[in-house]
Amino acid sequence: MGKAIEQGSIEVVIPSDTRYLHMVTNLTRSASLLAGFPKKTCEQMALAVDEAVTNVIRHSYDNQSWHEIQIGFTLTAEALKIDIRHGGVQVDLAAVEKPDLERYIAERRRGGLGLTLMQKLMDRVEFDQTNSLEHECCMWKYRTPHGSPGAKPQPGD
Amino acid sequence: MGKAIEQGSIEVVIPSDTRYLHMVTNLTRSASLLAGFPKKTCEQMALAVDEAVTNVIRHSYDNQSWHEIQIGFTLTAEALKIDIRHGGVQVDLAAVEKPDLERYIAERRRGGLGLTLMQKLMDRVEFDQTNSLEHECCMWKYRTPHGSPGAKPQPGD
Amino acid sequence: MADLHVDLKTEGEVILVYPRGFINAHTVRSFEQILQEQVERKSYRIVINCADLRYISSAGLGALMGVIDEVRENQGDIKLSNMSENIFNIFDILGFTHLYKIFKEEAEALGSFSEAEE
Amino acid sequence: MADLHVDLKTEGEVILVYPRGFINAHTVRSFEQILQEQVERKSYRIVINCADLRYISSAGLGALMGVIDEVRENQGDIKLSNMSENIFNIFDILGFTHLYKIFKEEAEALGSFSEAEE
Ligand SMILES: Nc1ncnc2c1ncn2[C@@H]1O[C@H](COP(=O)(O)OP(=O)(O)O)[C@@H](O)[C@H]1O
Ligand SMILES: Nc1ncnc2c1ncn2[C@@H]1O[C@H](COP(=O)(O)OP(=O)(O)O)[C@@H](O)[C@H]1O
């Protein structure tokens, strides 16, 4: 009962509307708790997914709320992989400045924090750079050494 | 912002494993809150979905946890429709005794409460009786007169 | 994890059961077990304090139904207390409020056992 | 609904802002507006008490960044207090703990304004 899930996958499809963000963060938190990650790590994953979905709504779909966003959670013995798929404009990483927090702070820029947060909160973040009709952002959190339940208990567990 | 969603749909796919039940009830609660139903009604829908999914795991899939269950939430101006789809054995309503709570209580039966609860908690519950490979349980909650936000405020809102 | 922990306390001849968390088809086993254990050790006076019970599905109600007959056949009872509105609503919808005595406070549920004795 | 309510209080020359609930891209507008309004009415001494702030995404941090320059150019500041561990972690991860003064208690944040005056 108290045992974490070792393998499994969940799929969700939501409209590209920021009103669903809270539901998605809750779902992500539940899914990662189920996977046995420490609470703090689960909070971080929930925020990373919020940022990724917000970016898809804002930038890929230009705030049009009638498109679809698919979110997949795949759990393996090694990691929880979260992929966010959409049919809009894919992020062009080459065009996005490399996140440089010191400069960010020095320049007091207003946006540009989302990608930085995703990269800091997750162990690995990748965008597909193909030209297919469906685009994908994949994020991974490894069970070890970053989030192994038991191995490295976090405060607030 | 505080405005409820009038139309939209969400799809979720989960393994047929009771470990996902809590996540599904949370998701249902979030989705129905988003739809603007009163809190009490949202609690009831969460429980109805729990019961429906539990039945699919237990009876349709005979407690085998490696199958898939799809849950769809479709919101229209009139109702929130929740459908639970699976590829297992469909409930044979003819074979199931009509829920008779008085007799139930008199006989102190142990099971048999799930379907009764679903029917009491939702406005309408239907099972497809076709022989297709995919089976479906559909449940509706109407916005009026049962759950219209504002029209009939419930205690605990 | 959305789990269930069940604590126990003895108060005279009465067993106090404190389910904390969520009872659904996944977590019900431990709740069921605790109830069965009381029956096995012939503790038929049971109060279930629901103050920290946040959720119950039909699986949990089935666990109660599974022992209530034996409990009552032995001059015992299962009484419930401290229910949240949500939990009470579920009992109410199923007519279980007629089947079980439900008290506002644990002390009242406890007291009802000694009254019955007199 | 998972929403945000922002309350305001005036304490001498300081505006106390109480965001209650969740700040994400959906709810951020009202938080942003309140901050903008303070700047427009030249209230540059702001304390944000985060006791009831349960969640903040980069949208909320962007709202802070949107006014901090004008606030500081006018000898004011935005100070934060009563952060939960989760909220603090997000500020910390982004290095925002160096950019904003964060206090444990509201009173300390308030006090820091009068000290600065002396
Ligand atoms: N899903 C996406 N699709 C297209 N472009 C994106 C996407 N995500 C991010 N971008 C681009 O990367 C930039 C930086 O993104 P981010 O760090 O999230 O900050 P912000 O969204 O606040 O500008 C965005 O301004 C946008 O140009
Ligand atoms: N999804 C389902 N697939 C097949 N049979 C079902 C399904 N749901 C319910 N049933 C049948 O209906 C009966 C009554 O169901 P229910 O009221 O949920 O009680 P319980 O599951 O506790 O027996 C079950 O025992 C089962 O035989």
Side-chain angles (χ1 to χ4, degrees):
Chain A
M1 201 168 44
K3 241 182 116 246
I5 290 181
E6 278 175 17
Q7 297 210 306
S9 66
I10 309 166
E11 278 277 333
V12 209
V13 187
I14 55 157
S16 53
D17 187 323
T18 55
R19 287 186 289 193
Y20 293 90
L21 279 175
H22 185 69
M23 200 191 76
V24 168
T25 54
N26 282 344
L27 181 73
T28 307
R29 196 181 291 111
S30 302
S32 45
L33 279 169
L34 261 183
F37 285 93
K39 266 191 194 158
K40 185 180 164 180
T41 312
C42 296
E43 273 307 315
Q44 296 184 335
M45 286 195 260
L47 178 54
V49 172
D50 173 331
E51 299 293 345
V53 172
T54 299
N55 275 346
V56 170
I57 296 171
R58 280 193 179 161
H59 303 302
S60 300
Y61 286 133
D62 199 16
N63 285 314
Q64 295 173 334
S65 62
W66 57 85
H67 300 285
E68 276 188 358
I69 304 175
Q70 283 177 273
I71 308 167
F73 300 87
T74 313
L75 190 69
T76 63
E78 290 81 39
L80 177 60
K81 177 186 148 199
I82 305 174
D83 52 296
I84 289 111
R85 274 160 284 142
H86 63 89
V89 177
Q90 179 64 318
V91 54
D92 178 2
L93 279 184
V96 177
E97 297 170 61
K98 271 252 140 42
D100 176 342
L101 267 184
E102 303 225 341
R103 250 195 51 213
Y104 177 91
I105 288 177
E107 295 176 7
R108 310 258 191 280
R109 277 177 51 207
R110 191 186 194 135
L113 288 172
L115 287 176
T116 309
L117 261 178
M118 286 156 63
Q119 276 153 350
K120 296 227 170 214
L121 296 170
M122 301 297 288
D123 291 330
R124 186 172 144 210
V125 179
E126 278 178 17
F127 294 87
D128 68 357
Q129 295 295 321
T130 62
N131 284 313
S132 65
L133 286 177
E134 191 184 64
H135 295 296
E136 200 176 30
C137 164
C138 275
M139 309 194 286
W140 285 261
K141 193 76 178 184
Y142 296 107
R143 287 181 184 274
T144 50
H146 301 266
S148 163
K152 198 178 112 187
Q154 307 266 347
D157 272 1
Chain B
M1 199 168 45
K3 241 180 117 251
I5 290 181
E6 278 176 17
Q7 297 209 308
S9 67
I10 309 167
E11 278 277 332
V12 209
V13 188
I14 56 158
S16 53
D17 188 322
T18 55
R19 287 187 288 193
Y20 292 90
L21 278 175
H22 183 70
M23 199 190 76
V24 168
T25 52
N26 281 344
L27 182 72
T28 307
R29 198 180 290 111
S30 302
S32 44
L33 279 171
L34 261 183
F37 286 94
K39 266 190 193 156
K40 184 179 166 182
T41 312
C42 296
E43 273 310 314
Q44 297 184 333
M45 287 195 259
L47 178 54
V49 172
D50 175 330
E51 300 292 345
V53 172
T54 298
N55 276 348
V56 170
I57 295 171
R58 281 193 179 162
H59 304 300
S60 301
Y61 286 134
D62 199 17
N63 285 314
Q64 294 173 336
S65 62
W66 56 86
H67 301 284
E68 276 189 356
I69 303 174
Q70 283 177 272
I71 308 165
F73 300 86
T74 313
L75 189 70
T76 63
E78 291 80 38
L80 177 60
K81 176 185 148 200
I82 305 175
D83 52 297
I84 289 112
R85 272 159 286 143
H86 63 88
V89 177
Q90 179 64 318
V91 56
D92 178 3
L93 279 184
V96 177
E97 299 170 62
K98 270 254 140 41
D100 175 343
L101 266 184
E102 303 225 342
R103 252 196 50 215
Y104 178 93
I105 287 177
E107 296 176 8
R108 310 259 191 278
R109 279 177 50 207
R110 193 186 192 132
L113 289 174
L115 287 177
T116 308
L117 262 179
M118 285 156 63
Q119 276 153 349
K120 296 227 171 214
L121 297 169
M122 302 297 288
D123 291 330
R124 185 172 146 209
V125 178
E126 278 178 18
F127 295 87
D128 67 0
Q129 294 296 322
T130 62
N131 284 314
S132 66
L133 287 176
E134 191 184 65
H135 294 296
E136 199 176 30
C137 163
C138 275
M139 309 194 285
W140 285 261
K141 193 77 178 183
Y142 296 106
R143 289 183 183 271
T144 49
H146 300 268
S148 160
K152 195 180 114 185
Q154 308 266 345
D157 274 0
Chain C
M1 290 271 304
D3 254 342
L4 175 71
H5 301 278
V6 187
D7 290 331
L8 284 179
K9 218 170 86 179
T10 311
E11 187 85 29
E13 299 221 321
V14 183
I15 296 288
L16 288 157
V17 183
Y18 301 87
R20 306 190 197 278
F22 301 80
I23 304 184
N24 61 19
H26 184 60
T27 63
V28 72
R29 187 77 51 232
S30 67
F31 181 59
E32 212 162 20
Q33 238 163 28
I34 293 241
L35 292 178
Q36 296 286 358
E37 280 166 19
Q38 304 322 307
V39 170
E40 276 157 31
R41 68 164 74 112
K42 303 191 192 303
S43 297
Y44 299 116
R45 299 170 169 207
I46 300 170
V47 171
I48 302 180
N49 181 329
C50 302
D52 295 325
L53 180 62
R54 291 177 55 194
Y55 181 90
I56 190 165
S57 75
S58 73
L61 303 174
L64 287 179
M65 295 304 279
V67 293
I68 188 68
D69 276 350
E70 192 169 347
V71 161
R72 290 197 178 147
E73 278 160 18
N74 289 282
Q75 286 72 51
D77 205 355
I78 298 179
K79 313 202 177 187
L80 299 118
S81 77
N82 301 74
M83 280 188 182
S84 70
E85 206 188 311
N86 277 335
I87 305 282
F88 182 83
N89 284 338
I90 296 158
F91 275 75
D92 196 29
I93 264 179
L94 286 170
F96 275 32
T97 45
H98 302 296
L99 193 54
Y100 294 96
K101 292 215 184 76
I102 299 173
F103 297 86
K104 223 170 162 338
E105 299 296 336
E106 180 186 292
E108 299 169 47
L110 266 170
S112 74
F113 275 114
S114 28
E115 277 162 33
E117 230 158 59
E118 285 156 29
Chain D
M1 292 269 307
D3 253 343
L4 175 71
H5 299 279
V6 187
D7 289 329
L8 283 181
K9 216 170 87 180
T10 310
E11 186 84 30
E13 299 224 318
V14 182
I15 295 289
L16 287 157
V17 182
Y18 301 87
R20 307 191 198 276
F22 301 80
I23 304 184
N24 61 19
H26 184 59
T27 62
V28 70
R29 189 75 53 229
S30 66
F31 181 59
E32 212 164 20
Q33 237 162 30
I34 292 245
L35 293 179
Q36 295 287 357
E37 279 165 19
Q38 304 321 308
V39 169
E40 276 158 32
R41 69 166 74 112
K42 301 188 192 308
S43 296
Y44 298 117
R45 297 169 169 208
I46 300 170
V47 171
I48 302 180
N49 181 329
C50 301
D52 295 323
L53 180 62
R54 293 178 52 194
Y55 181 90
I56 190 165
S57 75
S58 73
L61 303 173
L64 287 178
M65 294 305 277
V67 292
I68 188 68
D69 275 350
E70 192 170 346
V71 161
R72 290 194 179 148
E73 278 161 19
N74 289 281
Q75 284 73 50
D77 206 355
I78 298 179
K79 313 203 177 187
L80 299 118
S81 78
N82 300 75
M83 279 187 182
S84 70
E85 207 189 311
N86 276 336
I87 305 282
F88 181 83
N89 283 338
I90 297 158
F91 275 77
D92 197 28
I93 264 178
L94 286 170
F96 275 31
T97 46
H98 301 296
L99 192 54
Y100 294 96
K101 292 215 183 77
I102 299 173
F103 298 85
K104 225 170 160 352
E105 301 295 337
E106 180 186 293
E108 297 168 48
L110 267 172
S112 74
F113 275 114
S114 29
E115 276 162 35
E117 229 159 59
E118 285 157 26

